[in-house]
């Protein structure tokens, strides 16, 4: 049997705040998903090549030629706050 | 007190010298106003499709080949998830279980090989400026998506000196391979440093700590020494090293544990669905490998065959530009030994004095070859050749023109030499007397007097001969 999902840990990693109710329902949903892994694990895959990508393509690449970048205003306009050409966010480190 | 052996492994991040970013066509040029080298792809807008820059693969394979790695026939990219404002997608596209290069080595001067575990490609993050007063962080995403290779070494280094040498060697190889500019001050090469200690003779490794993102050679050296000392003292005092990420503060010369929140390292890697895998067959790998120039170790062997001392070959090959310059001067003058002597001596001295890199030598190798020839044929004395060399740094003129202009040609006028000897002897009777009485030192003084009146233009060997004859005649 797969382990019960650690909802507290997952929400912390995903920076999500959930109500107790949401945590409960997620725990059972995620539990079912993880449980399905047991079904997959039971399948005999000896001799099956691992699939690394769903498209089956490889080597899709571009040449190293520069093209103009976007207008700064357009990009910064998508952000909640900008200052002097920078994105401005709540401070990301604590003072020493 | 038990004495401890230091054990170090490195993760070196080097910026690749491509023109565009790894997944979009934005320029990688350094500088530029904040957020002007950005597009929807590198700022992580929803719904965009990143496309891999083929030169990134090429450069990484070149670097791997130069470090004796096995190149993967099949390789893929993965998402490394973490939240930080320098990473707008909230994941970095990197490589997890199938890196491009594996299992190489780099040899340091002692002949010891430092193992290369792997080399993989990934994208750089943006730059943050923290303002403690305004309580804001300002984000510039120009660096975001700039291609990097991460070179992971085995824990094979045993001292800060070995670490220093290894990084220098890697840097030289990357510069020769032409895949990175390796400018440490612009952050184009930086390292995560893993340090542990163990009592000498113990084969099991001690518990290691990691110091992330150190970007100067001096700071890396000091971090290794400082952290090894801290761990040794801790163990000697009966304590135990905790496995953790620490921050090296080079101003304080000490490392400090990062708080748990900062180190929450659960990256939840998974395959990157937007980028399809990379397949390289042997023909393609050979084709890329063929782009590699002759590397420093191979050149050193060849230089030894030309009669160049190993220490000199080391200095010359430390820079590809200098090595290429040397080879050109050696070829044109037909005198490799002299070319090496000039480069290791006067060239290095002038570059150091003027704080110049070899790339900034202001005259072609053919000029150095001409200087060598002028010396060999006796047209210019060694002393004046040094003056000539210095002049080459100041003017763009050819050596022959400078010799003419500054009157540096050696005198082949016998009469002038004879006159100078005669003058020196008649004006310095005391020195002559001393010499005849057996004081060898006086000879040097008299030589100096002759040279002075000839303004240094005489061939010293010829002058010495004349002065000796003149003094012998007085005996
Ligand atoms: Zn872009």
């Amino acid at each position: 049997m797969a382990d019960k999902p650690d909802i507290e840990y997952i929400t912390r990693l995903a920076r999500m705040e959930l109500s107790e109710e949401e945590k409960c329902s997620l725990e059972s949903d995620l539990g079912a998903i993880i449980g399905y892994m047991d079904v997959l694990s039971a399948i005999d895959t000896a001799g099956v090549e691992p699939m690394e990508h769903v498209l089956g393509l490889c080597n899709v690449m571009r040449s190293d030629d520069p093209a103009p970048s976007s207008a700064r205003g357009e990009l910064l306009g998508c952000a909640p706050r900008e200052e002097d050409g920078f994105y401005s966010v709540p401070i990301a480190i604590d003072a020493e | 007190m038990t004495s401890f052996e230091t054990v170090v492994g490195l993760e070196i991040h080097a910026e690749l010298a491509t023109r565009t970013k790894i997944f979009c066509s934005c320029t990688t040029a350094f500088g530029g106003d904040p957020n002007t080298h950005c597009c929807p792809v590198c700022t992580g807008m929803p719904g965009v499709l990143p496309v891999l820059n083929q030169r990134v693969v090429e450069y990484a394979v070149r670097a791997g080949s130069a470090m004796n790695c096995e190149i993967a026939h099949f390789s893929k990219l993965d998402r490394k998830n973490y939240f930080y404002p320098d990473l707008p997608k909230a994941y970095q596209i990197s490589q997890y279980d199938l890196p491009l290069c594996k299992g190489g080595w780099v040899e340091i001067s002692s002949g010891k090989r430092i193992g290369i575990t792997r080399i993989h490609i990934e994208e750089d993050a943006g730059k943050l400026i923290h303002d403690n007063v305004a309580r804001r962080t300002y984000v510039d995403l120009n660096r975001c998506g700039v291609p990097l290779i991460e070179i992971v070494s085995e824990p094979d280094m045993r001292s800060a000196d070995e670490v220093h040498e290894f990084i220098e060697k890697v840097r030289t190889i990357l510069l020769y391979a032409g895949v990175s500019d390796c400018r440490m001050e612009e952050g184009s090469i930086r390292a995560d440093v893993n340090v542990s200690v163990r009592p000498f003779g113990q084969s099991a490794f001690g518990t290691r700590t990691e110091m992330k993102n150190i970007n100067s050679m001096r700071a890396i050296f000091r971090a290794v020494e400082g952290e090894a000392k801290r761990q040794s003292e801790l163990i000697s005092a009966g304590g135990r090293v905790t496995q953790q990420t620490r921050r090296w503060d080079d101003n304080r010369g000490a490392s400090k544990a990062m708080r748990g929140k900062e180190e929450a390292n659960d990256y939840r890697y998974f395959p990157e669905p937007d980028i399809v895998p990379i397949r390289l067959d042997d023909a393609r790998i050979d084709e890329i490998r063929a782009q590699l120039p002759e590397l420093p170790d191979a050149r050193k062997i060849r230089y030894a065959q030309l009669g160049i001392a190993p220490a000199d070959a080391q200095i010359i090959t430390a820079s590809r530009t200098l090595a290429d310059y040397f080879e050109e001067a050696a070829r044109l003058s037909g005198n490799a030994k002299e070319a090496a002597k000039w480069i290791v001596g006067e060239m290095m001295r002038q570059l150091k004095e003027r704080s110049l890199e070899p790339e900034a030598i202001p005259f072609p190798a053919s000029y150095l070859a001409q200087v060598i020839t002028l010396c060999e044929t006796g047209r210019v004395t060694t002393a004046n050749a040094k003056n000539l060399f210095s002049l080459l740094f100041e003017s763009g003129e050819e050596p022959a023109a400078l010799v003419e202009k500054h009157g540096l040609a050696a005198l082949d006028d016998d009469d002038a030499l004879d006159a100078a000897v005669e003058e020196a002897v008649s004006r310095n009777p005391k020195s002559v007397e001393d010499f005849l009485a057996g004081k060898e030192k006086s000879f040097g003084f008299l030589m100096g007097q002759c040279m002075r009146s000839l303004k240094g233009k005489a061939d010293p060997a010829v002058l010495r001969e004349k002065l000796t004859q003149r003094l012998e005649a007085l005996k």
Side-chain angles (χ1 to χ4, degrees):
Chain A
M1 221 354 238
D3 289 339
K4 223 173 71 164
D6 183 345
I7 294 293
E8 292 294 337
Y9 181 60
I10 294 168
T11 52
R12 202 163 59 240
L13 283 177
R15 306 287 195 276
M16 291 173 86
E17 210 172 353
L18 299 175
S19 66
E20 283 310 313
E21 218 170 286
E22 287 169 317
K23 280 180 195 166
C24 264
S25 91
L26 266 176
E27 186 165 346
S28 84
D29 288 352
L30 281 176
I33 292 168
I34 292 170
Y36 181 62
M37 299 303 145
D38 289 335
V39 178
L40 292 179
S41 298
I43 299 168
D44 178 13
T45 54
V48 178
E49 278 287 301
M51 185 180 71
E52 301 295 348
H53 199 277
V54 289
L55 294 180
L57 295 171
C58 64
N59 298 347
V60 176
M61 299 185 207
R62 36 170 269 276
S63 62
D64 187 28
D65 300 316
S69 293
S70 303
R72 180 165 73 183
E74 226 170 281
L75 293 171
L76 291 176
C78 300
R81 186 161 159 186
E82 60 158 298
E83 266 169 81
D84 298 328
F86 291 94
Y87 295 92
S88 173
V89 301
I91 195 157
I93 52 159
D94 288 329
E96 290 290 302
Chain B
M1 190 176 126
T2 331
S3 74
F4 291 91
E5 182 178 45
T6 305
V7 175
V8 185
L10 293 177
E11 289 156 37
I12 299 176
H13 300 260
E15 182 185 324
L16 294 177
T18 56
R19 300 176 68 200
T20 68
K21 293 187 179 182
I22 183 168
F23 301 120
C24 65
S25 303
C26 290
T27 177
T28 54
F30 188 74
D33 286 339
N35 297 303
T36 53
H37 300 166
C38 303
C39 72
V41 173
C42 55
T43 53
M45 294 295 176
V48 295
L49 186 65
V51 184
L52 183 58
N53 181 344
Q54 66 166 21
R55 189 158 287 161
V56 169
V57 175
E58 216 169 276
Y59 280 7
V61 170
R62 252 202 242 173
S65 302
M67 290 181 231
N68 310 292
C69 289
E70 181 195 323
I71 309 301
H73 289 110
F74 184 86
S75 176
K76 71 172 169 69
L77 291 126
D78 301 274
R79 287 189 184 178
K80 178 180 180 180
N81 299 279
Y82 67 93
F83 286 107
Y84 206 56
D86 62 2
L87 194 71
K89 298 194 296 296
Y91 58 84
Q92 178 195 31
I93 304 180
S94 179
Q95 295 195 284
Y96 183 54
D97 56 340
L98 296 172
L100 263 178
C101 318
K102 276 188 304 192
W105 47 266
V106 162
E107 193 173 291
I108 56 175
S109 62
S110 59
K112 176 175 168 179
R113 286 181 177 182
I114 308 296
I116 303 291
T117 317
R118 57 184 277 164
I119 301 176
H120 70 250
I121 55 175
E122 62 184 26
E123 56 179 335
D124 203 353
K127 288 271 170 293
L128 302 180
I129 302 167
H130 305 290
D131 183 343
N132 258 319
V133 180
R135 306 297 299 155
R136 304 294 292 176
T137 291
Y138 304 109
V139 186
D140 173 8
L141 298 179
N142 281 354
R143 306 312 296 157
C144 203
V146 165
L148 305 175
I149 45 174
E150 179 174 328
I151 303 159
V152 182
S153 88
E154 292 289 313
D156 286 346
M157 286 155 274
R158 296 290 174 268
S159 67
D161 285 315
E162 279 192 359
V163 171
H164 182 267
E165 207 194 320
F166 173 72
I167 296 173
E168 273 301 338
K169 194 68 189 275
V170 167
R171 216 173 144 251
T172 310
I173 290 173
L174 294 177
L175 283 168
Y176 268 76
V179 301
S180 176
D181 298 331
C182 297
R183 281 185 294 258
M184 275 202 140
E185 65 287 359
E186 288 178 11
S188 72
I189 181 164
R190 49 188 197 257
D192 301 341
V193 183
N194 294 295
V195 178
S196 66
V197 299
R198 61 183 174 191
F200 273 100
Q202 179 184 309
S203 62
F205 288 129
T207 305
R208 69 185 168 88
T209 60
E210 180 177 23
M211 293 173 286
K212 282 196 176 292
N213 223 1
I214 311 181
N215 63 6
S216 84
M217 189 65 95
R218 184 175 164 272
I220 291 168
F221 189 89
R222 283 160 49 93
V224 169
E225 296 219 305
E227 180 59 12
K229 183 163 175 279
R230 184 191 72 85
Q231 291 183 12
S232 304
E233 286 170 357
L234 184 65
I235 296 168
S236 298
R240 282 180 57 193
V241 176
T242 319
Q243 181 164 352
Q244 62 190 177
T245 307
R246 301 177 67 86
R247 179 178 291 134
W248 175 253
D249 181 341
D250 203 48
N251 295 323
R252 285 175 50 237
S255 71
K256 201 177 100 188
M258 285 166 74
R259 280 148 308 176
K261 215 165 71 180
E262 287 175 284
E263 31 155 6
N265 281 345
D266 186 343
Y267 296 129
R268 295 152 292 143
Y269 282 96
F270 63 86
E272 167 58 64
D274 286 343
I275 313 276
V276 298
I278 304 160
R279 267 184 207 282
L280 300 171
D281 58 18
D282 287 331
R284 177 68 181 132
I285 293 169
D286 288 344
E287 185 184 282
I288 298 172
R289 198 170 270 151
Q291 298 167 353
L292 271 180
E294 188 186 27
L295 294 169
D297 286 351
R299 290 201 193 199
K300 273 182 225 165
I301 293 167
R302 200 158 48 77
Y303 294 176
Q305 290 159 354
L306 296 172
I308 313 296
D312 291 352
Q314 173 64 39
I315 293 170
I316 295 168
T317 55
S319 148
R320 181 181 171 186
T321 307
L322 205 58
D324 287 346
Y325 195 97
F326 157 72
E327 291 190 21
E328 177 84 353
R331 186 177 62 81
L332 292 171
S333 66
N335 193 335
K337 278 190 181 174
E338 275 300 307
K341 209 168 98 187
W342 276 100
I343 285 177
V344 171
E346 282 304 294
M347 183 68 88
M348 293 310 286
R349 198 174 65 76
Q350 293 282 350
L351 289 176
K352 199 173 164 208
E353 225 164 63
R354 296 164 197 265
S355 308
L356 293 177
E357 293 295 319
E359 286 72 18
I361 299 170
F363 53 92
S366 61
Y367 285 17
L368 173 56
Q370 285 178 40
V371 173
I372 293 167
T373 309
L374 285 168
C375 281
E376 273 176 345
T377 54
R379 283 260 295 135
V380 173
T381 63
T382 312
N384 271 342
K386 287 185 182 173
N387 295 333
L388 172 60
F389 197 79
S390 182
L391 287 168
L392 283 171
F393 270 88
E394 277 141 33
S395 82
E397 287 172 80
E398 274 204 88
L402 287 170
V403 167
E404 200 65 36
K405 191 166 160 184
H406 296 270
L408 296 171
L411 279 179
D412 51 4
D413 178 351
D414 257 11
D415 294 345
L417 263 60
D418 287 336
V421 168
E422 207 46 57
E423 189 189 325
V425 168
S426 61
R427 283 202 183 171
N428 301 285
K430 178 81 176 70
S431 299
V432 174
E433 208 173 292
D434 287 349
F435 174 78
L436 294 174
K439 266 186 157 181
E440 291 290 324
K441 257 176 140 181
S442 300
F443 186 85
F445 173 77
L446 291 166
M447 266 295 279
Q449 293 302 305
C450 295
M451 262 307 182
R452 213 172 73 174
S453 67
L454 293 164
K455 298 193 171 61
K457 291 184 207 167
D459 183 332
V462 178
L463 185 62
R464 171 174 295 272
E465 182 62 37
K466 284 192 180 293
L467 182 59
T468 308
Q469 275 175 12
R470 181 69 182 81
L471 292 171
E472 288 296 321
L474 291 174
K475 274 189 179 170

